[in-house]
Amino acid sequence: MARLYFLYRSKKESAYLKVRLQLNSNREQFEATTKIRSLKSAWAKKRNLSAEEKNSLTQFNVKRKPLEDYIYKRYEEELPDATNRQWLKNVVNEYYEDKKPNRLAPENLVEFIDYYIDCRKEEKDIKERQVMRINTTKNKLIRLQKEYNTVFRIKDVNEDFKTKYIQFSTKHGYSLNTQSRELDRIKTFCRNASKKGVEVYAGFNDLKIKAEKTPKIYLTTDEIEEIKKVELEQDYLNNARNWLLISIYTGQRISDFMRFTKDMIVKDENKRSFIKFEQRKTGKDMYIPISKELKQLLSTLNDDFPRPISDQKYNDYIKIVCKEAKINQLVSGKKRVCIAEEGKKPTKNDFRNVLGDFPKWELVSSHIGRRTFATNNYGKIPTPYLIYITGHHSEAQFLNYIVLPDYEKAAQAFDYFN
């Protein structure tokens, strides 16, 4: 019997998989491109996968079986000539033509969200991380409907809906920022539904939940020095510390810097060194200059990067690193806590970000390196260069990462003018 398998055949960090049908002779085969997108890292790694990589594999496993069954069925029915290289391409194209959503836009809010995702995927205009966030909102709406014993339609997104949504969210411990962000997402569904001819509440665009200002933290130069010199007995903590310093020196997201390898280091005609890679979130080709601090760190690692670890382990380990470095200043911020009843096994819905005053090391997470890079270099390096390196789309987005208190900004301005 013919054997079917999938391959990752692209140099890009995210691409559509190839499907290959190997015939009995093993010398003849068909090949075609599917619409199953995967992360290169998820396809290559066997363990220590990040949440994004695990989700990529989960999506692949969900989508592969129906396609496999369709191809095998068509092969057994048609027994194509092995010289017909176009056969599998036609079969795969016909499979996706049959799968195209061809229904009217639903009026039910939860059903419309699935329709919205399908349309965005068809247009190749949505990323898996966006799908995960949208599904989080959808699942919350399902719980909201159950609590109020009702089914919300698109046109029901009005002031009464907003009141119920706030009451539900407050009761279950969701912050104002989460409520504001998700209401904006629901309004996006309404705007899209309106374009599709679905009836909407005329004033849905005016629905707002005022977000609260969330304190952000960064590491000062003195704290970075403490992190660099603290003695750590465990190898895994040293490894995490090195990644933390790399994030501070490069200003990149964890989805990018945790993929750095020595093969990404390139030099120009003037012997200047850069890290060349494609940013996962933006798809931009980047050249990050290797600073003298980063060059010094890499030289202690045989001019290579540390071994990669999962996002969760990284977040856990750098907290311990900062605790060992005595980053103990009491600061305001949000800490993720479990709200499940004592003795009850928590679910994914039992965690909230709670505002309060905590030792600084408890609030450290993967984004602190990026904020530290932006804050500590602001005013020292021209802002357009910093915006290029961080990959922000606008100066307003970049300035959101600057955590300097107003006094320090004023002091920098004074030094500049004088």
Side-chain angles (χ1 to χ4, degrees), residues 217 219 315 318-319 322 360-366 368:
I217 64 167
L219 295 168
N315 277 293
I318 60 175
K319 284 181 175 63
C322 290
K360 194 171 186 178
W361 66 266
E362 291 187 12
L363 303 178
V364 168
S365 66
S366 61
I368 198 169

Side-chain angles (χ1 to χ4, degrees), residues 383-396:
T383 301
Y385 297 161
L386 295 178
I387 292 173
Y388 164 74
I389 292 173
T390 59
H392 285 105
H393 291 296
S394 67
E395 185 169 356

Side-chain angles (χ1 to χ4, degrees), residues 64-100:
R64 65 181 287 187
K65 188 66 168 62
L67 178 58
E68 284 180 345
D69 292 344
Y70 184 83
I71 293 172
Y72 279 133
K73 182 174 181 291
R74 289 286 298 272
Y75 177 75
E76 291 169 3
E77 290 173 350
E78 300 172 23
L79 294 176
D81 190 301
T83 60
N84 183 5
R85 298 298 181 189
Q86 192 63 32
W87 178 81
L88 185 57
K89 294 176 183 177
N90 292 338
V91 169
V92 171
N93 286 338
E94 289 166 19
Y95 170 83
Y96 287 113
E97 283 296 321
D98 291 342
K99 293 293 180 182
K100 278 186 178 179

Side-chain angles (χ1 to χ4, degrees), residues 205-356:
N205 258 323
D206 297 325
L207 301 175
K208 287 183 175 61
I209 297 175
K210 189 175 180 180
E212 58 189 348
K213 191 172 181 180
T214 305
K216 299 182 178 72
I217 64 167
Y218 76 107
L219 295 168
T220 66
T221 52
D222 289 341
E223 289 170 335
I224 295 170
E225 288 303 313
E226 293 300 321
I227 289 169
K228 286 164 67 174
K229 71 184 184 183
V230 65
E231 293 290 333
L232 299 169
E233 295 182 4
Q234 294 88 349
D235 174 66
Y236 68 89
L237 292 181
N238 273 305
N239 188 69
R241 167 173 50 192
N242 289 333
W243 278 123
L244 175 58
L245 293 172
I246 288 168
S247 74
I248 290 169
Y249 297 150
T250 64
Q252 298 307 300
R253 302 174 182 88
I254 187 171
S255 58
D256 291 320
F257 73 73
M258 197 59 75
R259 296 183 290 117
F260 286 169
T261 66
K262 63 180 179 182
D263 296 332
M264 295 180 179
I265 298 177
V266 297
K267 291 187 178 180
D268 65 8
E269 64 277 5
N270 296 316
K271 306 293 184 184
R272 293 175 296 196
S273 297
F274 302 85
I275 305 171
K276 181 185 177 184
F277 66 100
E278 181 185 280
Q279 275 191 340
R280 178 160 287 168
K281 183 175 181 179
T282 66
K284 290 168 59 177
D285 290 326
M286 302 294 296
Y287 287 83
I288 302 299
I290 296 181
S291 63
K292 59 184 179 182
E293 292 91 349
L294 179 56
K295 185 176 181 180
Q296 184 178 2
L297 173 62
L298 294 179
S299 69
T300 67
L301 301 169
N302 297 318
D303 293 320
D304 201 354
F305 289 92
R307 65 180 181 277
I309 54 178
S310 70
D311 294 9
Q312 185 59 57
K313 286 183 178 178
Y314 176 72
N315 277 293
D316 291 342
Y317 295 166
I318 60 175
K319 284 181 175 63
I320 301 173
V321 169
C322 290
K323 182 180 181 181
E324 293 294 315
K326 294 183 169 43
I327 313 297
N328 294 326
Q329 178 189 357
L330 206 63
V331 295
S332 295
K334 283 194 171 182
K335 179 181 173 183
R336 196 157 183 79
V337 299
C338 178
I339 63 168
E341 296 176 12
E342 190 174 349
K344 179 184 174 184
K345 185 178 179 180
T347 69
K348 63 181 180 180
N349 296 320
D350 290 325
F351 292 89
R352 301 287 183 273
N353 291 323
V354 175
L355 184 64

